[in-house]
Amino acid sequence: MTPAAPRLLMSSLALAITVSAGVFLSPVQAQTRPDAAGVASAAAVAAPAEATQGRARNIILFLADAGGVASINAASLAAYGEPLRLHIQQWPNLGLSETSPVDDFVSDSANGMSAIVTGVKTRNGVISQSPDAVRGQRDGAPTKTLLEYAEEHGLLTGVVTNMPITDATPAATYAHANDRGRWGEIFPQAFSPRFGDGVDVLIGAGRRQIGEQMAARGASFEALSRTHRRPIYAALDQVPAANPRPVVVADQIDVRAAALKALDLLQGSPKGYLLVIEWDAHTDDPRQGLRNIADLDRLIAEIQGRVDLGDTLMLFTADHSFGLQVDGGTRGQDVLEGYDAWKASKADDEVVRLKNVLVNRTHTAEEVPALAIGPGADRVRGYFPNTHLFDVMMGAWGWTSDADRAD
């Protein structure tokens, strides 16, 4: 051991003790949680030492669709006027997740989310099928999803999104299809599960489009509901309090209300639960996209206050990145200066040029952030393929995948 080594070791131990004791305060907690002068938030963010070493009972996966590193940074600047002010930016475990499909560099949501929830990369446009699938032409083998493993083990499961419930990201959790656009084929799969009794709480948008596609196949919400004796509500406020397994397909979704409703229902599980919450973060419209990220971040902070980090793994990531960059700006000024004029112009250019922000309105290939807190979160670090996040979540539960057992 070199002479400097003992000092380095002691410094590391001191830092670890300080963080675990909740002494390390960041500016965001003081600003966003002024009711407790930042102390409560800092304590909430600092996970108990045993939380990263034990097993998870519950997992909550937050997915910001297109929420790359640049978008997360810009969301903090837009919402708070400063970097590093988001709640998730205070979480102790951080890695960079590589999102490519098997044949290209740039991912869409179908491959991106399928890889996260099955541990298997596939092709763009394909929902939770093996990489020999060809979009719209040939099926691959269905790849078992995290939600299906949870159902097999008797956990309660939930999926909430502000997007159509059949869109690629939520669909990858409960369905298998060689074409992400076949919503009329995808939605009924939620009612004919391969494992357990299927997703317990399913809440999303897209009612008109899904209804039209099912009608083209000779089906309907009403017929599906009658066949499976499970109501499909058109709005969240239609769900009776006595229904523990609601399905809501609405025109629009209040993600916060839906997520908290789902959490309340799933927390009654005797064995634990999986909850997946998606919020769109595409910045085609930069203000709306960044606002969605900030709103999701506030929801994450609220949910963290309602769970026990000793038995609940919370994980945030994205399915792919997006072409946004902040290339200017001054503290005290709106980073989105020029947005109102751009919006009023009704321009539909491929590139949005504001004073401080440039948006190339397309998916991009760079890695996306993965942040975690709770049991198993310490495995989220460094660079890794997005399939690693499946392994992180399975490992947090202490489960072995079918593929690993076969090996």
Side-chain angles (χ1 to χ4, degrees):
M1 181 178 293
T2 65
R7 292 194 299 271
L8 179 60
L9 177 60
M10 291 304 294
S11 297
S12 299
L13 288 172
L15 177 59
I17 292 168
T18 300
V19 172
S20 64
V23 176
F24 183 83
L25 298 179
S26 69
V28 64
Q29 282 108 17
Q31 178 166 329
T32 59
R33 300 287 293 277
D35 53 312
V39 175
S41 275
V45 169
E50 65 273 13
T52 59
Q53 298 171 1
R55 292 279 173 85
R57 182 176 183 274
N58 318 302
I59 293 178
I60 306 177
L61 172 61
F62 300 94
L63 199 291
D65 192 338
V69 173
S71 296
I72 299 302
N73 169 64
S76 179
L77 300 180
Y80 302 106
E82 293 285 343
L84 300 179
R85 293 299 178 92
L86 298 183
H87 181 81
I88 56 171
Q89 290 175 310
Q90 318 312 313
W91 281 2
N93 300 284
L94 166 66
L96 289 171
S97 176
E98 190 279 321
T99 65
S100 67
V102 294
D103 52 350
D104 296 323
F105 293 131
V106 180
S107 182
D108 76 340
S109 295
N111 162 72
M113 188 60 166
S114 294
I116 292 168
V117 298
T118 71
V120 179
K121 286 179 178 284
T122 187
R123 299 177 190 269
N124 286 337
V126 174
I127 301 287
S128 295
Q129 289 188 352
S130 58
D132 55 331
V134 178
R135 182 175 185 177
Q137 300 179 33
R138 183 177 71 228
D139 276 332
T143 46
K144 192 170 178 180
T145 74
L146 195 72
L147 187 145
E148 290 177 326
Y149 279 102
E151 284 288 330
E152 184 179 46
H153 282 80
L155 276 63
L156 292 183
T157 59
V159 180
V160 173
T161 177
N162 75 315
M163 299 297 288
I165 197 62
T166 49
D167 204 19
T169 301
T173 66
Y174 67 85
H176 307 270
N178 68 29
D179 191 338
R180 59 177 288 178
R182 293 176 176 169
W183 291 1
E185 171 189 330
I186 289 169
F187 182 67
Q189 292 187 46
F191 298 83
S192 300
R194 302 194 309 147
F195 301 92
D197 59 1
V199 58
D200 295 291
V201 181
L202 192 64
I203 305 175
R207 188 173 187 87
R208 180 183 62 80
Q209 303 97 313
I210 298 168
E212 290 173 352
Q213 285 209 24
M214 285 202 298
R217 294 171 56 89
S220 68
F221 288 118
E222 294 75 17
L224 196 62
S225 179
R226 284 195 304 271
T227 299
H228 297 280
R229 298 180 180 180
R230 193 172 182 189
I232 302 170
Y233 303 102
L236 187 62
D237 59 10
Q238 293 178 4
V239 177
N243 187 343
R245 304 184 71 234
V247 178
V248 178
V249 184
D251 293 319
Q252 291 185 321
I253 289 294
D254 179 337
V255 184
R256 177 183 176 274
L260 296 181
K261 172 72 172 179
L263 183 65
D264 285 343
L265 292 171
L266 299 181
Q267 284 184 318
S269 171
K271 292 187 176 181
Y273 61 82
L274 168 69
L275 175 57
V276 179
I277 301 171
E278 180 206 17
W279 206 324
D280 181 44
H282 285 81
T283 50
D284 301 78
D285 180 324
R287 177 173 290 171
Q288 187 59 58
L290 299 181
R291 181 177 292 158
N292 285 354
I293 294 173
D295 286 343
L296 174 58
D297 182 70
R298 294 185 188 100
L299 174 61
I300 291 171
E302 186 172 4
I303 288 176
Q304 183 171 326
R306 298 183 181 215
V307 303
D308 179 358
L309 289 178
D311 66 7
T312 302
L313 171 64
M314 300 178 68
L315 195 155
F316 169 92
T317 192
D319 45 0
H320 56 77
S321 193
F322 201 76
L324 176 144
Q325 68 181 36
V326 175
D327 52 15
T330 303
R331 281 177 165 80
Q333 296 182 356
D334 183 4
V335 72
L336 293 176
E337 184 177 349
Y339 171 86
D340 291 335
W342 168 77
K343 193 70 173 176
S345 73
K346 298 183 179 179
D348 195 28
D349 299 330
E350 290 185 5
V351 176
V352 178
R353 175 72 264 185
L354 306 182
K355 181 178 180 182
N356 305 311
V357 173
L358 177 71
V359 184
N360 179 15
R361 299 161 93 178
T362 185
H363 294 190
T364 54
E366 69 271 8
E367 296 84 358
V368 299
L371 299 113
I373 191 168
D378 54 340
R379 293 186 64 196
V380 178
R381 58 185 179 185
Y383 281 86
F384 46 74
N386 51 3
T387 53
H388 173 67
L389 296 175
F390 171 81
D391 295 332
V392 167
M393 291 182 280
M394 290 287 286
W397 271 322
W399 298 347
T400 302
S401 71
D402 292 350
D404 287 341
R405 281 197 295 269
D407 292 342

Coordinates of all heavy atoms in Angstrom, one line a residue, residues 135-190:
R135 N -39.7 -6.8 -39.3 CA -40.9 -6.0 -39.1 C -41.9 -6.1 -40.3 O -41.6 -6.0 -41.4 CB -40.5 -4.5 -39.0 CG -41.7 -3.6 -38.7 CD -41.3 -2.2 -38.5 NE -42.5 -1.4 -38.1 CZ -42.5 -0.1 -37.8 NH1 -41.4 0.6 -37.7 NH2 -43.7 0.5 -37.5
G136 N -43.1 -6.5 -39.8 CA -44.2 -6.6 -40.8 C -44.2 -7.8 -41.7 O -45.1 -8.0 -42.5
Q137 N -43.1 -8.6 -41.6 CA -43.0 -9.8 -42.5 C -42.9 -11.1 -41.8 O -43.5 -12.1 -42.2 CB -41.7 -9.6 -43.3 CG -41.8 -8.3 -44.2 CD -40.5 -8.2 -45.0 OE1 -39.9 -9.1 -45.4 NE2 -40.1 -6.9 -45.2
R138 N -42.1 -11.2 -40.7 CA -41.9 -12.5 -40.1 C -41.8 -12.3 -38.6 O -41.1 -11.5 -38.1 CB -40.5 -13.1 -40.6 CG -40.2 -14.5 -40.1 CD -38.9 -15.0 -40.7 NE -37.7 -14.3 -40.3 CZ -36.8 -13.9 -41.0 NH1 -36.9 -14.0 -42.3 NH2 -35.7 -13.3 -40.5
D139 N -42.4 -13.2 -37.9 CA -42.3 -13.3 -36.4 C -41.0 -13.9 -36.0 O -40.5 -14.8 -36.6 CB -43.5 -14.1 -35.8 CG -44.8 -13.4 -35.7 OD1 -44.7 -12.1 -35.5 OD2 -45.8 -14.0 -35.7
G140 N -40.5 -13.4 -34.8 CA -39.4 -14.1 -34.1 C -40.1 -14.8 -32.9 O -41.3 -14.7 -32.7
A141 N -39.2 -15.5 -32.2 CA -39.7 -16.1 -31.0 C -40.1 -15.0 -29.9 O -39.4 -14.0 -29.8 CB -38.7 -17.0 -30.4
P142 N -41.2 -15.2 -29.2 CA -41.5 -14.2 -28.2 C -40.4 -14.2 -27.1 O -40.0 -15.3 -26.6 CB -42.8 -14.6 -27.6 CG -43.0 -16.1 -28.0 CD -42.2 -16.3 -29.3
T143 N -39.9 -13.1 -26.7 CA -38.9 -13.0 -25.6 C -39.6 -12.6 -24.3 O -40.4 -11.6 -24.3 CB -37.8 -11.9 -26.0 OG1 -38.5 -10.7 -26.5 CG2 -36.9 -12.5 -27.1
K144 N -39.4 -13.4 -23.3 CA -40.1 -13.2 -22.0 C -39.8 -11.9 -21.4 O -38.6 -11.5 -21.2 CB -39.8 -14.4 -21.1 CG -40.6 -14.5 -19.9 CD -40.3 -15.9 -19.2 CE -41.1 -16.1 -18.0 NZ -40.8 -17.4 -17.4
T145 N -40.8 -11.1 -21.0 CA -40.6 -9.8 -20.5 C -40.5 -9.8 -19.0 O -41.0 -10.7 -18.3 CB -41.7 -8.8 -20.9 OG1 -42.9 -9.2 -20.2 CG2 -42.0 -9.0 -22.4
L146 N -40.0 -8.7 -18.4 CA -39.9 -8.6 -17.0 C -41.3 -8.7 -16.4 O -41.5 -9.2 -15.3 CB -39.3 -7.2 -16.7 CG -38.8 -6.9 -15.3 CD1 -37.5 -7.8 -15.0 CD2 -38.5 -5.5 -15.1
L147 N -42.3 -8.1 -17.0 CA -43.7 -8.1 -16.5 C -44.2 -9.6 -16.5 O -44.8 -10.0 -15.5 CB -44.6 -7.3 -17.4 CG -46.0 -7.1 -16.9 CD1 -46.5 -5.7 -17.2 CD2 -47.0 -8.1 -17.4
E148 N -43.8 -10.4 -17.5 CA -44.2 -11.8 -17.5 C -43.5 -12.6 -16.4 O -44.1 -13.4 -15.8 CB -43.9 -12.4 -18.9 CG -44.8 -11.8 -20.0 CD -44.5 -12.3 -21.4 OE1 -43.4 -12.5 -21.7 OE2 -45.5 -12.5 -22.2
Y149 N -42.3 -12.3 -16.2 CA -41.6 -12.9 -15.0 C -42.3 -12.6 -13.7 O -42.5 -13.4 -12.8 CB -40.1 -12.5 -15.0 CG -39.2 -13.3 -15.9 CD1 -38.8 -12.7 -17.1 CD2 -38.8 -14.6 -15.6 CE1 -37.9 -13.4 -17.9 CE2 -38.0 -15.3 -16.4 CZ -37.5 -14.7 -17.6 OH -36.7 -15.4 -18.4
A150 N -42.6 -11.3 -13.6 CA -43.3 -10.8 -12.3 C -44.7 -11.6 -12.2 O -45.0 -12.0 -11.1 CB -43.5 -9.3 -12.4
E151 N -45.4 -11.7 -13.3 CA -46.7 -12.4 -13.2 C -46.5 -13.9 -12.9 O -47.2 -14.4 -12.1 CB -47.4 -12.3 -14.6 CG -48.0 -10.9 -14.8 CD -49.3 -10.7 -14.0 OE1 -50.0 -11.7 -13.7 OE2 -49.5 -9.5 -13.6
E152 N -45.5 -14.5 -13.4 CA -45.2 -15.9 -13.2 C -44.8 -16.1 -11.7 O -45.2 -17.1 -11.1 CB -44.0 -16.3 -14.0 CG -43.6 -17.8 -13.9 CD -42.4 -18.2 -14.8 OE1 -41.4 -17.4 -14.8 OE2 -42.5 -19.2 -15.5
H153 N -44.2 -15.1 -11.1 CA -43.9 -15.2 -9.6 C -45.0 -14.7 -8.7 O -44.8 -14.7 -7.5 CB -42.6 -14.4 -9.4 CG -41.3 -15.1 -9.8 ND1 -40.9 -15.1 -11.1 CD2 -40.4 -15.8 -9.1 CE1 -39.8 -15.8 -11.2 NE2 -39.5 -16.2 -10.0
G154 N -46.1 -14.3 -9.3 CA -47.2 -14.0 -8.4 C -47.2 -12.5 -7.9 O -48.0 -12.2 -7.0
L155 N -46.4 -11.7 -8.5 CA -46.4 -10.3 -8.2 C -47.6 -9.5 -8.9 O -48.1 -10.0 -9.9 CB -45.1 -9.6 -8.5 CG -43.9 -9.7 -7.5 CD1 -43.5 -11.2 -7.3 CD2 -42.8 -8.9 -8.0
L156 N -48.0 -8.4 -8.4 CA -48.9 -7.5 -9.1 C -48.1 -6.7 -10.1 O -46.9 -6.4 -9.8 CB -49.7 -6.6 -8.1 CG -50.7 -7.3 -7.2 CD1 -51.5 -6.3 -6.4 CD2 -51.7 -8.2 -8.0
T157 N -48.7 -6.3 -11.2 CA -48.0 -5.6 -12.2 C -48.9 -4.4 -12.7 O -50.1 -4.5 -12.7 CB -47.7 -6.5 -13.4 OG1 -48.9 -7.0 -14.0 CG2 -46.7 -7.6 -13.0
G158 N -48.2 -3.3 -13.1 CA -48.9 -2.2 -13.7 C -48.1 -1.4 -14.7 O -46.9 -1.4 -14.6
V159 N -48.8 -0.9 -15.7 CA -48.2 -0.1 -16.7 C -49.0 1.2 -16.9 O -50.2 1.1 -17.1 CB -48.1 -0.9 -18.1 CG1 -47.5 0.0 -19.2 CG2 -47.4 -2.2 -17.9
V160 N -48.4 2.3 -16.8 CA -49.0 3.6 -17.0 C -48.2 4.4 -18.0 O -47.0 4.5 -18.0 CB -49.0 4.4 -15.6 CG1 -49.6 5.8 -15.8 CG2 -49.9 3.6 -14.6
T161 N -48.9 5.1 -18.9 CA -48.3 6.0 -19.9 C -49.2 7.1 -20.3 O -50.4 7.0 -20.3 CB -47.9 5.1 -21.1 OG1 -47.3 6.0 -22.1 CG2 -49.1 4.5 -21.8
N162 N -48.6 8.2 -20.7 CA -49.4 9.3 -21.3 C -49.6 9.1 -22.8 O -50.3 9.8 -23.5 CB -48.7 10.7 -21.1 CG -47.5 10.9 -22.0 OD1 -46.6 10.0 -22.1 ND2 -47.4 12.1 -22.6
M163 N -48.9 8.1 -23.4 CA -49.0 7.7 -24.8 C -50.1 6.6 -25.0 O -50.6 6.1 -24.0 CB -47.7 7.2 -25.3 CG -46.5 8.3 -25.1 SD -46.9 9.7 -26.2 CE -46.6 9.1 -27.8
P164 N -50.4 6.3 -26.2 CA -51.3 5.2 -26.4 C -50.8 3.9 -25.7 O -49.6 3.6 -25.8 CB -51.3 5.0 -27.9 CG -51.1 6.4 -28.5 CD -50.1 7.0 -27.5
I165 N -51.7 3.2 -25.1 CA -51.2 2.0 -24.3 C -50.7 0.9 -25.2 O -50.0 0.0 -24.7 CB -52.4 1.5 -23.4 CG1 -51.9 0.6 -22.3 CG2 -53.5 0.8 -24.3 CD1 -51.0 1.2 -21.3
T166 N -50.9 1.0 -26.5 CA -50.4 0.1 -27.5 C -49.1 0.6 -28.1 O -48.6 -0.1 -29.0 CB -51.4 -0.2 -28.5 OG1 -51.9 1.1 -29.0 CG2 -52.6 -1.0 -28.0
D167 N -48.7 1.8 -27.8 CA -47.5 2.3 -28.4 C -46.3 1.5 -28.0 O -46.4 0.7 -27.1 CB -47.2 3.8 -27.9 CG -46.4 4.6 -28.9 OD1 -46.3 4.2 -30.0 OD2 -45.8 5.6 -28.5
A168 N -45.2 1.6 -28.7 CA -44.1 0.6 -28.6 C -43.6 0.5 -27.2 O -43.4 -0.7 -26.7 CB -42.9 1.1 -29.5
T169 N -43.4 1.5 -26.5 CA -42.8 1.4 -25.1 C -43.7 0.7 -24.1 O -43.2 -0.3 -23.6 CB -42.4 2.8 -24.6 OG1 -41.6 3.5 -25.5 CG2 -41.8 2.8 -23.2
P170 N -44.9 1.0 -23.9 CA -45.7 0.2 -23.0 C -46.0 -1.2 -23.5 O -46.1 -2.1 -22.8 CB -47.0 1.1 -22.8 CG -47.1 1.9 -24.0 CD -45.7 2.2 -24.4
A171 N -46.2 -1.3 -24.9 CA -46.6 -2.6 -25.4 C -45.5 -3.6 -25.2 O -45.8 -4.8 -25.1 CB -46.9 -2.4 -26.9
A172 N -44.2 -3.2 -25.2 CA -43.1 -4.1 -25.1 C -43.2 -4.8 -23.7 O -42.6 -5.9 -23.6 CB -41.8 -3.4 -25.2
T173 N -43.9 -4.3 -22.8 CA -44.0 -5.0 -21.5 C -44.9 -6.2 -21.4 O -44.7 -7.1 -20.7 CB -44.4 -4.0 -20.4 OG1 -45.8 -3.6 -20.6 CG2 -43.5 -2.8 -20.3
Y174 N -46.0 -6.1 -22.2 CA -47.0 -7.1 -22.1 C -47.3 -7.8 -23.4 O -48.1 -8.8 -23.5 CB -48.3 -6.5 -21.6 CG -49.0 -5.5 -22.5 CD1 -49.9 -5.9 -23.5 CD2 -48.8 -4.1 -22.4 CE1 -50.5 -5.0 -24.3 CE2 -49.4 -3.2 -23.2 CZ -50.2 -3.7 -24.2 OH -50.9 -2.7 -25.0
A175 N -46.8 -7.4 -24.6 CA -47.2 -8.0 -25.9 C -45.9 -8.4 -26.7 O -44.8 -8.1 -26.4 CB -48.0 -6.9 -26.7
H176 N -46.2 -9.1 -27.8 CA -45.2 -9.6 -28.7 C -45.7 -9.4 -30.1 O -46.8 -10.0 -30.4 CB -44.8 -11.0 -28.4 CG -44.5 -11.3 -27.0 ND1 -43.2 -11.2 -26.5 CD2 -45.3 -11.6 -25.9 CE1 -43.2 -11.5 -25.2 NE2 -44.4 -11.7 -24.8
A177 N -45.0 -8.7 -30.9 CA -45.5 -8.5 -32.3 C -44.3 -8.1 -33.2 O -43.4 -7.5 -32.8 CB -46.5 -7.3 -32.3
N178 N -44.4 -8.5 -34.5 CA -43.3 -8.1 -35.4 C -43.5 -6.7 -36.0 O -42.7 -6.3 -36.8 CB -43.2 -9.2 -36.5 CG -44.3 -9.3 -37.5 OD1 -45.0 -8.3 -37.7 ND2 -44.6 -10.4 -38.0
D179 N -44.6 -6.0 -35.6 CA -44.8 -4.7 -36.2 C -45.5 -3.8 -35.1 O -46.6 -4.1 -34.7 CB -45.7 -4.7 -37.4 CG -45.7 -3.4 -38.1 OD1 -45.4 -2.3 -37.5 OD2 -46.0 -3.4 -39.3
R180 N -44.8 -2.9 -34.6 CA -45.2 -2.0 -33.5 C -46.5 -1.2 -33.9 O -47.2 -0.7 -33.0 CB -44.2 -1.0 -33.1 CG -43.7 -0.1 -34.3 CD -42.7 1.0 -33.8 NE -43.3 2.0 -33.0 CZ -42.6 3.0 -32.5 NH1 -41.3 3.1 -32.6 NH2 -43.3 3.9 -31.8
G181 N -46.8 -1.1 -35.2 CA -48.0 -0.4 -35.6 C -49.3 -1.2 -35.6 O -50.3 -0.6 -35.8
R182 N -49.2 -2.4 -35.3 CA -50.4 -3.3 -35.3 C -51.2 -3.2 -34.0 O -51.2 -4.2 -33.2 CB -50.1 -4.7 -35.7 CG -49.6 -4.8 -37.1 CD -49.1 -6.2 -37.5 NE -48.7 -6.3 -38.9 CZ -48.1 -7.3 -39.5 NH1 -47.8 -8.4 -38.7 NH2 -47.8 -7.3 -40.7
W183 N -51.7 -2.1 -33.7 CA -52.3 -1.8 -32.4 C -53.5 -2.7 -32.1 O -53.8 -3.2 -31.0 CB -52.7 -0.4 -32.2 CG -51.6 0.5 -32.1 CD1 -50.2 0.2 -32.1 CD2 -51.6 2.0 -31.9 NE1 -49.5 1.3 -32.0 CE2 -50.3 2.4 -31.8 CE3 -52.6 2.9 -31.8 CZ2 -50.0 3.8 -31.6 CZ3 -52.3 4.2 -31.6 CH2 -51.0 4.7 -31.5
G184 N -54.3 -3.0 -33.2 CA -55.5 -3.9 -33.0 C -55.1 -5.3 -32.7 O -55.9 -6.0 -32.1
E185 N -53.9 -5.7 -33.0 CA -53.3 -7.0 -32.6 C -52.7 -7.0 -31.3 O -52.7 -8.0 -30.5 CB -52.3 -7.5 -33.7 CG -51.5 -8.7 -33.4 CD -50.4 -8.9 -34.4 OE1 -50.6 -8.6 -35.6 OE2 -49.4 -9.5 -34.0
I186 N -52.0 -5.9 -30.9 CA -51.3 -5.7 -29.7 C -52.2 -5.7 -28.5 O -52.0 -6.4 -27.5 CB -50.3 -4.5 -29.8 CG1 -49.2 -4.8 -30.8 CG2 -49.8 -4.2 -28.4 CD1 -48.4 -3.6 -31.1
F187 N -53.2 -4.8 -28.5 CA -54.0 -4.5 -27.3 C -54.6 -5.8 -26.7 O -54.6 -6.0 -25.5 CB -55.0 -3.5 -27.6 CG -55.8 -3.1 -26.3 CD1 -55.2 -2.5 -25.2 CD2 -57.2 -3.4 -26.3 CE1 -56.0 -2.2 -24.1 CE2 -57.9 -3.1 -25.2 CZ -57.3 -2.5 -24.1
P188 N -55.3 -6.6 -27.6 CA -55.9 -7.8 -27.0 C -55.0 -8.8 -26.3 O -55.4 -9.6 -25.4 CB -56.6 -8.5 -28.2 CG -56.8 -7.4 -29.2 CD -55.6 -6.5 -29.0
Q189 N -53.7 -8.7 -26.5 CA -52.7 -9.6 -25.9 C -52.7 -9.3 -24.4 O -52.3 -10.2 -23.6 CB -51.3 -9.4 -26.5 CG -51.2 -9.9 -27.9 CD -49.8 -9.9 -28.4 OE1 -48.8 -10.3 -27.7 NE2 -49.6 -9.4 -29.6
A190 N -53.0 -8.1 -23.9 CA -53.1 -7.8 -22.5 C -54.1 -8.7 -21.8 O -54.0 -8.9 -20.6 CB -53.4 -6.4 -22.3

